[in-house]
Amino acid sequence: MAPLSNLQTRAIETLIHPYSNQATIRETGPLVFERGKGVYIYDTDGKPYLEGMAGLWCTALGYDNDELVEAATAQMRKLPFAHLFTAKSHDPAIELAEKLKEMAPVPISKVFFCNSGSEANDSQMKMVWYMQNALGRPNKKKIISRVKGYHGVTIASASLTGLPNNHLDFDLPIARVLHTTCPHHYRFARDGETEEEFASRCAAELEELILREGPDTVAAFIAEPVMGAGGVIVPPKTYFPKIMAVCAKYDVFMIDDEVICGFGRLGTPFGCTALDYKPHSISVAKALSSAYLPIAGVMIPEDMYQALITESQKIGTFGHGFTYSGHPVSAAVAVKTLEIYKRDKIFETAAKNMPQFQKRLKALGDHPLVGEARGMGMVGAIELAAVKRDKTPFDPKKAVGAQVVAQAQADGLIVRVIAGDVISVCPPLIIKPAEIDELFDKLTRALDKTLDWAKREQLLAA
Ligand SMILES: Cc1ncc(COP(=O)(O)O)c(C=O)c1O
């Protein structure tokens, strides 16, 4: 193994790198990046990498958008900080909330700003509880999420997240958070079950859970349109209409986590439109500012807003908010981002490139290492299988997915292994057709090299 560079050594001596094995990173060191241009980022040796994950599913406009830099600079010069506490306000936050309300897929009354997707979903939970108290329903507080859902890492949002690594030894989930069936047909459908039948079963299992817990104790259901970090799971046909009917039957508030799917990722401004459902409230983050600065939002309906008024009258204030809620520089960058999306028809152009993206992605399904290639819009994943015909996964200890990521990285492509041996791709929305081909050519080569390695290691079933 090559000796660590000065920056790598300083990194491991000073930083806790999130979502990294804290032991092995001490041996390998991190990959240190220096600059970005278009859909490429460059390491400290000047080597380019096609950013096949848009960072963390977020840099929709790529890495060198001057207008966003100018929007930040201008706002920093004018008013670098102002807050929204204690009846204060400012123009960038107002304008951003107006723009979000305008483009919302359902009637939105107000927007609460925060700094991350985790904070947005924490705030959603708090506001649901607050609303139930305002409505005189103090027992209707449980929130249902899904196995493999990803909603963040703070104590409440990590509880909503349905992945073992976010719970194990963190003593989570907290009480009043429940998880229902993961809508992944490839992994969880029964033999011969069609997508529609599986969707009906998911809805029936949600209903059973609500009835078991007592409908008067279940407040909300939270879901991503396409599940991201849990494995890029596209729900089976008819899933959301069936789930929404169950929510409506038991007066369960629907929280739509659009942190990845919002802003064009599925070919529509919001993912819920592409998947045919109308939520009550919406969480947004990531591509809201193309990730140039941290900002997130909770978009709430009028009846929830009325509850905040009722509680404020009772308690004297709405006791929630972050120092940087609606930070003016982040808000100004987000306003500019939304302007660019509209002016440059970013969603429409991305939508035109999506069939090519999906065609190249799905073609990987024929590769001997791949059990399923799945995706929608400009996001996808390949799930590796040791035995294709019966979907047997590889022994996790063999880290076959990590091998694909390492081969891709050596070849100048960033992809990510998530939720087992699942490799995800989610490039910036501005990716061009030739770059889509480059991404999949490199990913194919990484799979081929991994196949050779797996054969040498005798990891494939005979
Ligand atoms: C759907 C979804 N919700 C919430 C989050 C949490 O966002 P953050 O990492 O900004 O806290 C993420 C992050 O990837 C996400 O994908």
Side-chain angles (χ1 to χ4, degrees), residues 97-273:
E98 283 171 354
K99 280 194 154 29
L100 285 171
K101 282 184 60 167
E102 232 172 71
M103 69 186 291
V106 290
I108 290 299
S109 174
K110 304 291 176 286
V111 184
F112 171 79
F113 287 118
C114 46
N115 310 289
S116 68
S118 300
E119 285 179 7
N121 291 327
D122 256 49
S123 301
Q124 291 270 17
M125 241 169 113
K126 286 180 75 176
M127 285 195 241
V128 164
W129 287 344
Y130 216 59
M131 177 173 73
Q132 299 297 5
N133 288 326
L135 294 173
R137 307 196 294 198
N139 294 324
K140 197 169 168 71
K141 296 278 172 57
K142 291 175 189 163
I143 319 273
I144 300 179
S145 172
R146 298 174 299 172
V147 171
K148 296 200 181 199
Y150 189 85
H151 302 292
V153 294
T154 51
I155 287 182
S157 68
S159 297
L160 295 172
T161 291
L163 294 165
N165 288 350
N166 298 100
H167 294 168
L168 273 174
D169 287 352
F170 288 117
D171 294 6
L172 295 174
I174 55 171
R176 301 195 290 193
V177 173
L178 309 161
H179 294 91
T180 188
T181 319
C182 172
H184 188 191
H185 187 267
Y186 172 78
R187 272 282 158 226
F188 301 116
R190 291 177 184 145
D191 280 350
E193 204 171 34
T194 65
E195 284 199 36
E196 279 87 348
E197 286 163 353
F198 178 52
S200 299
R201 181 158 66 82
C202 289
E205 287 173 4
L206 174 64
E207 182 162 17
E208 278 162 30
L209 178 61
I210 293 172
L211 290 172
R212 204 160 55 237
E213 294 289 327
D216 52 351
T217 71
V218 178
F221 173 78
I222 182 167
E224 305 152 79
V226 168
M227 299 167 89
V232 188
I233 295 161
V234 182
K237 288 187 197 89
T238 68
Y239 174 80
F240 273 111
K242 286 171 180 164
I243 289 283
M244 292 304 291
V246 173
C247 289
K249 186 168 171 191
Y250 298 103
D251 191 13
V252 170
F253 188 88
M254 203 284 178
I255 302 168
D256 184 28
D257 185 343
E258 295 267 357
V259 167
I260 287 179
C261 296
F263 309 108
R265 183 56 59 188
L266 302 185
T268 46
F270 288 86
C272 62
T273 313

Side-chain angles (χ1 to χ4, degrees), residues 10-17 22 25-26 30:
R10 285 163 54 203
I12 61 169
E13 292 311 334
T14 51
L15 291 169
I16 292 177
H17 293 86
Q22 301 299 316
I25 195 174
R26 296 198 64 80

Side-chain angles (χ1 to χ4, degrees), residues 346-388:
I346 298 291
F347 303 163
E348 293 84 343
T349 308
K352 283 197 192 111
N353 294 332
M354 286 171 187
Q356 180 202 355
F357 180 89
Q358 288 299 327
K359 191 170 166 218
R360 294 276 335 238
L361 172 78
K362 303 278 164 63
L364 295 177
D366 294 332
H367 195 278
L369 280 184
V370 177
E372 187 189 37
R374 54 179 180 259
M376 184 173 177
M378 197 72 88
V379 59
I382 46 176
E383 179 159 341
L384 307 184
V387 187
K388 223 173 159 76

Side-chain angles (χ1 to χ4, degrees), residues 96 113-117 284-286 288-289 293-297 324-327 330-334:
L96 182 59
F113 287 118
C114 46
N115 310 289
S116 68
V284 288
K286 295 193 190 272
L288 171 57
S289 62
L293 282 174
I295 186 161
Y324 304 128
S325 281
H327 191 290
S330 302
V333 169

